[in-house]
Amino acid sequence: MSEINWGQLGFGYVKTNCNARCEFHDGKWGEVTLTTDETIPMHIAATCLHYGQEAFEGLKVFRGVDGKARFFRIEENARRMINSAAYLKMEAPSEELFIKACEEAVKANAEFLPPYGTGASLYVRPLLLGITAEVGVKASKDYLFVVFVTPVGPYFKNGFAPIDVVIERDHDRAAPRGTGHTKVGGNYAASINAGAAAHEKGYANELYLDAAEQKYVDEFGAANFFGIKDGKYVTPNSRTVLPSITNKSLRTLAQDLGLVVEDRPIPYEEIKTFEETGACGTAAVISPVGNIYDPKYDVTFHYDAPGKVSTQLFTMLQDIQYGRIEDKHGWTREIDI
Ligand SMILES: Cc1ncc(COP(=O)(O)O)c(C=O)c1O
């Protein structure tokens, strides 16, 4: 393994020792195996290639202040993959199989888990693919489940520093009764154009409004949205938003802080009324938002970021993830490496 400069890691792919795999054939899952192969040999007519029959997850392992390694809410990721797969008529690994494959992939790559204090962590990427050769649009009978890991730094370049974002008016990431609530590749394919345009203009991410009317806030291309005002943590309730595990955790932590949690549609006009807004997700953790630009009205909503509540929430979440405070909600799962 070449020397990794943990403190300088961005959010990208770093080659590790191996990945874990498991295949579904004839109605059942096989054994989890480890392979050093970074490629997937696959039939040219596999349903994942043509019809997007694929789902994935993203979670992290943290090396704690006490030296212990911990997954954060891995059971939630397993359940979300089961939901995503069901929506696309795919076979999903059970919660137990999901966890086993993740554990094996992490254990076999222990030296890639960034040390405590570097701000980096080990990102775990489970991936589920339909691999039966089909030409008609239908579900696979065979599936491949892969888990690879890669050490990562912050998703947004400067970590817990304010980001500028832009409201996306020309593209939708998900249809009103479509796949937005699932973690499937098609949602991201639909967002690549808008994401690239946002980056070119110097924005960290794009913020989607509801696809039907553009009247309500949905989410960012790669993270959920929350706003803070009047002692409340407000986050969109929308079927086109990915149910973020970070957001779910922040809602609980916000309640712990004595905030009222409101899970409801957020009308566009409300954006200007928030004291703080933020993007949250496994990759982003919390990125406080400094400015939201709306090209339709050429208007910028500004926030003094990072705000007090976002900072408290970020600190609480990371304190649990890095084992600095008691995990009283039972969110972490130790892994012996
Ligand atoms: C579109 C989208 N929304 C929200 C999130 C955050 O979800 P989670 O907190 O489970 O990582 C992600 C993934 O990080 C995402 O890709």
Side-chain angles (χ1 to χ4, degrees), residues 39-322:
T39 65
I40 301 173
M42 188 180 299
H43 197 284
I44 51 175
T47 63
C48 65
L49 298 178
H50 299 261
Y51 304 124
Q53 235 206 346
E54 78 92 44
F56 67 100
E57 274 302 326
L59 61 152
K60 281 178 175 170
V61 179
F62 299 86
R63 176 72 76 190
V65 64
D66 52 2
K68 290 182 179 161
R70 295 176 177 85
F71 281 105
F72 186 71
R73 306 197 81 173
I74 184 171
E75 301 82 4
E76 293 284 340
N77 292 93
R79 284 177 216 143
R80 192 169 62 188
M81 175 166 270
I82 290 169
N83 287 340
S84 300
Y87 198 77
L88 298 193
K89 284 270 175 219
M90 300 170 76
E91 279 297 330
S94 65
E95 201 174 310
E96 296 71 37
L97 178 57
F98 182 99
I99 294 172
K100 182 178 184 337
C102 290
E103 281 181 342
E104 290 204 15
V106 171
K107 281 187 179 165
N109 292 294
E111 69 267 38
F112 292 92
L113 174 60
Y116 177 74
T118 56
S121 53
L122 190 68
Y123 185 72
V124 182
R125 169 56 63 87
L127 173 68
L128 180 65
L129 303 170
I131 54 169
T132 308
E134 294 283 2
V135 180
V137 182
K138 57 178 148 200
S140 272
K141 292 188 274 304
D142 308 278
Y143 292 89
L144 170 64
F145 179 49
V146 182
V147 181
F148 70 81
V149 302
T150 192
V152 294
Y155 187 77
F156 294 122
K157 263 199 313 262
N158 301 321
F160 189 68
I163 55 169
D164 288 351
V165 299
V166 61
I167 293 183
E168 174 54 51
R169 293 277 186 180
D170 298 331
H171 306 85
D172 299 317
R173 71 178 276 283
R177 281 171 292 278
T179 50
H181 61 295
T182 62
K183 199 158 173 80
V184 302
N187 294 337
Y188 297 84
S191 76
I192 283 182
N193 210 318
H199 282 142
E200 270 162 33
K201 295 191 192 98
Y203 298 104
N205 218 201
E206 73 282 11
L207 177 60
Y208 293 93
L209 304 178
D210 76 283
E213 299 182 288
Q214 297 201 336
K215 278 191 179 164
Y216 299 94
V217 178
D218 247 358
E219 67 170 325
F220 296 97
N224 272 185
F225 174 93
F226 67 86
I228 307 287
K229 66 172 183 185
D230 309 328
K232 291 185 218 154
Y233 178 95
V234 190
T235 191
N237 182 334
S238 158
R239 86 154 263 189
T240 49
V241 164
L242 186 75
S244 154
I245 295 158
T246 313
N247 195 356
K248 186 174 180 179
S249 311
L250 292 178
R251 292 201 289 266
T252 303
L253 295 179
Q255 273 168 341
D256 291 351
L257 277 178
L259 297 175
V260 172
V261 172
E262 291 187 357
D263 211 343
R264 58 163 170 81
I266 300 182
Y268 169 83
E269 297 72 43
E270 200 175 346
I271 294 178
K272 62 175 178 295
T273 69
F274 288 117
E275 294 147 19
E276 304 174 32
T277 62
C280 64
T282 297
V285 191
I286 288 182
S287 284
V289 171
N291 294 294
I292 302 178
Y293 177 65
D294 186 349
K296 182 171 178 188
Y297 304 111
D298 191 21
V299 59
T300 299
F301 306 105
H302 173 76
Y303 308 91
D304 289 327
K308 187 170 144 243
V309 176
S310 303
T311 306
Q312 280 176 316
L313 290 171
F314 175 82
T315 306
M316 283 167 89
L317 183 64
Q318 292 255 284
D319 281 351
I320 295 172
Q321 292 172 330
Y322 285 109

